[in-house]
């Protein structure tokens, strides 16, 4: 028997990937399932991006690239950081990986000693937690409240920092809450970090372009120049350009950290496919109007879903400020009974009930460190979202 290592019990597989797999399996069995579990745009990858990939194959750009990415792509990433974020990163301060996820994995693997702490404001993208654990670190969930817009407060940050803290992870716009930090809010957190020079910042900007109500995007390395030397700015093409399957992310940061991250990558994937890298150049250098147009479409869907969910008894949805999730509280259904007499004791019970009775697959808030909530991906057509909301309303009305 091949034995599995003890470290495997320190972390979980991705909950949303698992939920999406279950939804796909039920669909394959012929069940009428509406899956609102995945964090990927339903739009196609832009045509000019696909064309660039085809051309790369035709000219035999099919060989290993530099581990930290093709020089032309690193140039395009540097230009993007300058153009959109006012950030100066030289080529040796940039690494390209197989998704933002790989950049996060590289960074934690390259920096964490056993027991080092990583502060992760909850609700959180669960991979920060599990990647920190896989790298031997200790994720520390720090609570944020609906009253504070699910944003980390300076005093809470201050109280969470210990001599073992190595990273503060910030994710704005946030998956799952949709919270977006203003420049002043980032600067207030930077004021706390000024007293803790050993704490680095990992800013996950993957939803940068999905911003609502005319909000502006700010990233710590730019909003707080004093943090530039200890910030890793992570981003990628997955969400902005509907390229989740191409597996292409990137990060900018201090040269010595990028170098260490590349060393990790050299022994795991060697980096993303050469074809995806060619496609990413086209995405970053090409026209950007499609990004804004899609963000407007997400905003319309958000308005529709929030309004519909607030009509469902027991649900309360806030307006997300960005990203493509609605994150309602379902506290009002907990303790109620289903028509066949089962008690809904948790958000997880409620998602099981929705899947069984109405075929609606959603994520429970517990998976994101926020029990009593649901995460609904709005990356589906308005027709599908409309039908899902009708079913959720009906399921809520059936509870006693
Ligand atoms: N960061 C956040 C907050 C995400 O929600 C996701 C994907 O859902 C990722 C990173 C992973 O992005 P990528 O596809 O670039 O690995």
């Amino acid at each position: 028997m091949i034995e599995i290592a003890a470290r495997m019990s320190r972390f979980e597989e991705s909950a949303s990937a698992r939920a999406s797999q279950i939804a796909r399996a039920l669909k394959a069995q012929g069940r009428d399932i509406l899956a609102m579990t995945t964090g990927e745009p339903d739009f196609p990858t832009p045509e000019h991006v696909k064309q660039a990939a085809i051309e790369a194959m035709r000219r035999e750009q099919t060989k290993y690239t530099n581990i930290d990415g093709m020089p032309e792509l690193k140039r395009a990433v540097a230009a993007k950081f300058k153009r959109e974020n006012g950030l100066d990163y030289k080529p040796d301060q940039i690494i390209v990986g197989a998704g933002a996820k790989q950049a996060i994995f590289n960074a934690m693997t390259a920096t964490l000693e056993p027991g080092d702490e990583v502060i992760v404001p909850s609700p959180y993208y669960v991979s920060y937690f599990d990647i920190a654990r896989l790298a031997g670190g200790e994720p520390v969930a720090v609570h944020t409240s609906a009253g504070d817009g699910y944003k980390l407060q300076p005093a809470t940050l201050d109280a969470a920092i210990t001599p073992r803290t190595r990273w503060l992870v910030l994710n704005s716009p946030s998956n799952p809450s949709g919270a977006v930090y203003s420049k002043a809010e980032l600067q207030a957190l930077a004021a706390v970090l000024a007293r803790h020079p050993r704490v680095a910042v990992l800013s996950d900007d993957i939803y940068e372009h999905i911003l609502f109500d005319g909000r502006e995007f700010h990233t710590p390395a730019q909003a707080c120049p004093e943090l530039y030397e200890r910030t890793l700015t992570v981003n990628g093409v997955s969400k902005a350009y509907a390229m989740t399957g191409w597996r292409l992310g990137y990060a900018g940061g201090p040269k010595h950290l990028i170098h260490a991250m590349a060393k990790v990558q050299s022994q795991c994937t060697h980096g993303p496919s050469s074809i995806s890298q060619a496609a990413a150049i086209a995405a970053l250098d090409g026209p950007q109007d499609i990004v804004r147009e899609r963000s407007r479409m997400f905003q319309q869907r958000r308005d529709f879903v929030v309004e519909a969910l607030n009509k469902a008894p027991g649900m309360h949805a806030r307006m997300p400020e960005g990203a493509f999730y609605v994150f309602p509280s379902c506290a009002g259904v907990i303790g109620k009974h289903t028509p066949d007499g089962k008690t809904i004791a948790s958000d997880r019970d409620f998602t099981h009930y929705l899947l069984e009775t109405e075929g609606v697959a959603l994520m429970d808030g517990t998976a994101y460190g926020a029990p009593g909530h649901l995460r609904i991906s709005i990356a589906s057509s308005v027709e599908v979202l409309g039908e899902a909301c009708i079913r959720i309303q009906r399921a809520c009305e059936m509870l006693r």
Side-chain angles (χ1 to χ4, degrees):
M1 232 249 308
I2 298 176
E3 286 177 24
I4 301 300
R7 88 172 72 84
M8 294 302 291
S9 58
R10 283 182 50 80
F11 68 98
E12 303 287 329
E13 70 175 307
S14 157
S16 63
R18 190 173 52 228
S20 303
Q21 240 162 17
I22 293 172
R24 272 196 295 272
L26 290 172
K27 250 188 197 170
Q29 288 165 19
R31 287 231 9 227
D32 170 22
I33 300 290
L34 299 176
M36 325 262 95
T37 44
T38 30
E40 65 182 348
D42 52 317
F43 305 118
T45 299
E47 205 46 48
H48 69 279
V49 174
K50 291 191 251 191
Q51 207 51 46
I54 293 167
E55 282 157 23
M57 282 187 265
R58 293 243 155 86
R59 59 172 185 266
E60 287 303 327
Q61 208 173 333
T62 53
K63 309 286 194 255
Y64 288 129
T65 67
N66 288 352
I67 282 158
D68 56 356
M70 291 177 356
E72 307 88 299
L73 176 53
K74 297 214 308 174
R75 181 212 38 80
V77 170
K80 178 266 177 246
F81 275 133
K82 184 72 185 164
R83 180 179 71 239
E84 296 182 343
N85 310 116
L87 281 171
D88 284 304
Y89 286 122
K90 299 206 171 60
D92 59 5
Q93 290 182 279
I94 291 171
I95 181 168
V96 173
K101 204 177 225 180
Q102 184 165 33
I104 299 165
F105 177 88
N106 289 339
M108 302 245 175
T109 305
T111 56
L112 294 179
E113 298 290 355
D116 278 351
E117 291 169 3
V118 177
I119 294 180
V120 184
S122 69
Y124 44 71
Y125 170 58
V126 74
S127 292
Y128 306 133
F129 235 73
D130 293 304
I131 293 173
R133 284 207 174 113
L134 181 53
E138 288 299 334
V140 177
V142 176
H143 181 72
T144 70
S145 69
D148 291 326
Y150 295 114
K151 292 179 207 174
L152 178 62
Q153 299 303 299
T156 320
L157 171 62
D158 206 17
I161 294 174
T162 75
R164 298 302 314 253
T165 308
R166 294 299 314 279
W167 287 100
L168 163 65
V169 178
L170 290 175
N171 173 220
S172 169
S174 151
N175 169 13
S177 74
V180 174
Y181 284 81
S182 69
K183 190 172 185 178
E185 286 162 344
L186 292 175
Q187 288 171 341
L189 296 175
V192 173
L193 294 177
R195 297 194 292 277
H196 303 280
R198 206 170 161 257
V199 180
V201 177
L202 191 158
S203 181
D204 180 349
D205 298 354
I206 195 90
Y207 294 99
E208 163 178 16
H209 291 291
I210 303 154
L211 273 182
F212 306 141
D213 310 315
R215 277 189 177 74
E216 271 182 46
F217 175 75
H218 299 282
T219 192
Q222 202 229 349
C224 320
E226 69 276 25
L227 292 181
Y228 175 85
E229 283 300 334
R230 49 169 157 147
T231 297
L232 182 71
T233 306
V234 175
N235 210 322
V237 297
S238 285
K239 318 285 177 174
Y241 305 98
M243 292 176 68
T244 46
W246 298 77
R247 308 311 301 130
L248 197 298
Y250 53 86
K255 190 172 148 185
H256 72 286
L257 172 63
I258 297 294
H259 183 75
M261 289 166 63
K263 189 171 175 186
V264 175
Q265 188 158 295
S266 76
Q267 294 303 359
C268 97
T269 60
H270 193 104
S273 106
S274 56
I275 315 293
S276 296
Q277 294 190 52
I281 296 173
L284 294 173
D285 283 350
Q288 302 296 312
D289 37 329
I290 197 167
V291 175
R292 285 182 283 276
E293 172 58 23
R294 289 175 171 181
S295 180
R296 272 194 294 278
M297 291 168 76
F298 281 126
Q299 181 170 326
Q300 284 164 3
R301 296 173 184 187
R302 172 205 68 167
D303 292 348
F304 170 79
V305 170
V306 167
E307 193 186 332
L309 288 179
N310 281 330
K311 289 187 188 140
M315 303 276 273
H316 175 68
R318 305 171 76 257
M319 278 288 182
E321 299 168 331
F324 41 67
Y325 309 97
V326 175
F327 195 64
S329 158
C330 62
V333 303
I334 292 172
K336 290 191 175 179
H337 302 285
T338 65
D340 58 3
K342 287 189 198 135
T343 306
I344 304 282
S346 65
D347 51 344
R348 201 155 274 179
D349 284 352
F350 187 50
T351 55
H352 289 158
Y353 164 68
L354 286 174
L355 187 59
E356 273 164 30
T357 58
E358 296 286 353
V360 178
L362 306 177
M363 296 304 302
D364 56 71
T366 300
Y368 301 87
H373 292 75
L374 299 177
R375 191 195 76 163
I376 302 170
S377 165
I378 55 169
S380 299
S381 68
V382 173
E383 294 71 43
V384 172
L385 291 171
E387 175 60 21
C389 289
I390 290 172
R391 295 188 191 185
I392 295 169
Q393 280 173 17
R394 189 163 57 211
C396 289
E397 281 158 11
M398 299 292 284
L399 296 173
R400 290 291 169 263

